[in-house]
Amino acid sequence: MYLFERYVMKETRNVVLMIVGFLIFIFTIYSAQRYLTDAANGTLALKAVFVIVFYKALIALEMLLPIGLYVATAISLGQLYSDSEITAALAAGISPLRLYRGVLLLAIPVGIACAILSMYGRPWAYAHIDQLMQQSQSSFDVSHLQANKFNIEDDGTMVHAQTITPSDNHIKNTFIYTTDKGVTKVFRSQVASIDNTRPQNPIAHLQSGSAYTFEHGSNNDSQQTYRNLAINLKPAADDEGVRSKAKSMQTLDRSRDLSDIAERQWRQTRGINAVLMTLLAIPLSRVRPRQGRFSVLLPLALVFIVIFFAGNICRTLVSNGMLPPVIGVWLVSWVMLLGNLYFWVRDSSLLKKWFK
């Protein structure tokens, strides 16, 4: 490996490690705070929190690695420009294209890692998160309910119990509130046992209590006193967004659904876009001597915003059938490739030779 390329790669690598490490730390703290709040509210099992945070951090790497490399490339090269090191290297006869080669030595492995994470790591993590959420977010899994507290779910179901015995799924002095399709039901019982042997159809067996039904917009309210009552409880709702992201590449390849095609193309372009976006940071990093390496952050941010939203827009258009799949999400990659070709031609001085 040439000395110049190795020096450029080393300077960029150090900044990448610092930026990605910091971003992962911040993201992990945010995710932990979010899910610990759910655990404190009794809507998520505490033992599942740290596992979910790990999977979330793994998913975030797919986005944070390209961002870290993109910003690190601009900052590190901006510093070299500011210190006139690149100017001196070019004056010594080093080709500007060797700058691209030095960055590619780091960008290609990162791009491969992003592609693997996107196509295999992220679906694997989402599948495990979906499984954990389905197991832990049931309102009637008494192992994570808290006594003498209103345990509220996202679907509006609320459970309050004075005494909880997780070993045998029994709760005493129970209050259960449910609402669905304009009908509100309230159950009050002395003793209740939860049957979760069929997760898709959990059943609560209530003893010695009262049941109230309120139909919104009508007078068909009712009250019932019972000694034994079995009610079907609504299981945790499926998250279609998570389910789509959890599909394997083999499943997406066989699917003809437009949303699956958009998801497949999104995954396939992650690694390539990471490399192309990093190469775009090279011309954006150019600053005048003593101008300061952070002066490039504003144009850098604007270019990233355009790329990010363009990718999301293309993905949505493919899902809605408004953009042909043959073009699809790859449109952003082709535009970035053309932009890089322009800068490569300009830096290699081929245009000057053609116009002589």
Side-chain angles (χ1 to χ4, degrees), residues 38 54 83 107 120 129 152-153 164 178 180 207 294 339:
D38 291 340
F54 167 75
D83 295 341
Y120 304 104
I129 289 176
I152 304 174
E153 286 293 298
I164 299 176
T178 65
D180 184 33
Q207 300 177 12
F294 296 106

Side-chain angles (χ1 to χ4, degrees), residues 29 34 65 71 80 95 118 129 144 169 174 180 212 216 237 256 260 262 269 274 283 316 355-356:
I29 293 298
R34 172 189 172 188
L65 276 176
V71 175
L80 296 180
S95 171
S118 179
I129 289 176
H144 71 266
N169 280 355
T174 308
D180 184 33
Y212 305 88
H216 303 176
R256 293 296 177 264
D260 288 340
T269 57
T316 302
F355 287 99
K356 280 184 177 179

Side-chain angles (χ1 to χ4, degrees), residues 17-314:
L17 293 176
M18 180 179 65
I19 292 177
V20 174
F22 175 76
L23 291 177
I24 283 291
F25 175 76
I26 295 299
F27 180 83
T28 302
I29 293 298
Y30 167 77
S31 298
Q33 182 271 334
R34 172 189 172 188
Y35 289 108
L36 283 173
T37 300
D38 291 340
N41 291 333
T43 59
L44 185 65
L46 182 60
K47 61 183 180 182
V49 170
F50 299 103
V51 180
I52 293 177
V53 170
F54 167 75
Y55 289 136
K56 283 290 187 179
L58 182 64
I59 294 170
L61 275 176
E62 177 205 5
M63 180 63 68
L64 297 183
L65 276 176
I67 292 176
L69 181 59
Y70 175 68
V71 175
T73 299
I75 291 178
S76 58
L77 295 185
Q79 181 63 49
L80 296 180
Y81 275 111
S82 180
D83 295 341
S84 300
E85 294 185 60
I86 293 181
T87 303
L90 297 178
I94 293 179
S95 171
L97 295 183
R98 292 181 63 180
L99 197 61
Y100 287 90
R101 183 163 59 183
V103 173
L104 279 173
L105 290 173
L106 184 61
I108 291 176
V110 171
I112 294 174
C114 290
I116 294 174
L117 282 172
S118 179
M119 291 189 290
Y120 304 104
R122 190 179 74 148
W124 175 80
Y126 268 119
H128 283 75
I129 289 176
D130 182 59
Q131 183 180 4
L132 284 171
M133 297 295 284
Q134 290 295 316
Q135 293 175 351
S136 301
Q137 272 198 332
S138 171
S139 305
F140 306 98
D141 180 4
V142 301
S143 64
H144 71 266
L145 295 180
Q146 297 185 14
N148 297 313
K149 185 173 182 179
F150 290 100
N151 302 273
I152 304 174
E153 286 293 298
D154 293 336
D155 61 4
T157 301
M158 180 171 58
V159 180
H160 183 282
Q162 185 176 3
T163 304
I164 299 176
T165 310
S167 59
D168 56 5
N169 280 355
H170 275 68
I171 51 181
K172 296 181 179 180
N173 294 327
T174 308
F175 173 88
I176 300 176
Y177 170 94
T178 65
T179 181
D180 184 33
K181 297 180 180 180
V183 179
T184 297
K185 295 182 179 181
V186 178
F187 302 93
R188 183 75 174 87
S189 69
Q190 296 296 322
V191 179
S193 60
I194 310 301
D195 183 3
N196 275 324
T197 55
R198 298 176 60 188
Q200 299 302 322
N201 188 29
I203 298 176
H205 298 279
L206 311 179
Q207 300 177 12
S208 303
S210 302
Y212 305 88
T213 302
F214 305 96
E215 295 188 15
H216 303 176
S218 71
N219 297 322
N220 297 326
D221 300 339
S222 62
Q223 186 268 340
Q224 176 187 3
T225 302
Y226 60 85
R227 295 187 63 183
N228 293 282
L229 178 66
I231 60 173
N232 292 323
L233 305 175
K234 185 167 56 177
D238 293 340
D239 190 333
E240 293 299 331
V242 171
R243 288 294 174 89
S244 176
K245 296 174 183 177
K247 291 181 179 179
S248 66
M249 287 297 296
Q250 292 79 5
T251 302
L252 296 178
D253 288 336
R254 294 192 298 265
S255 176
R256 293 296 177 264
D257 185 75
L258 289 177
S259 60
D260 288 340
I261 293 175
E263 176 67 22
R264 185 185 72 235
Q265 291 184 353
W266 175 266
R267 297 183 191 179
Q268 292 171 338
T269 57
R270 292 303 86 202
I272 297 174
N273 286 356
V275 176
L276 294 175
M277 188 171 66
T278 301
L279 294 178
L280 283 177
I282 297 176
L284 293 175
S285 65
R286 291 173 182 166
V287 297
R288 297 184 182 88
R290 295 179 299 277
Q291 185 178 354
R293 57 179 174 175
F294 296 106
S295 60
V296 301
L297 290 182
L298 180 58
L300 200 71
L302 293 176
V303 171
F304 173 77
I305 291 172
V306 171
I307 294 173
F308 179 78
F309 282 103
N312 285 333
I313 291 172
C314 289

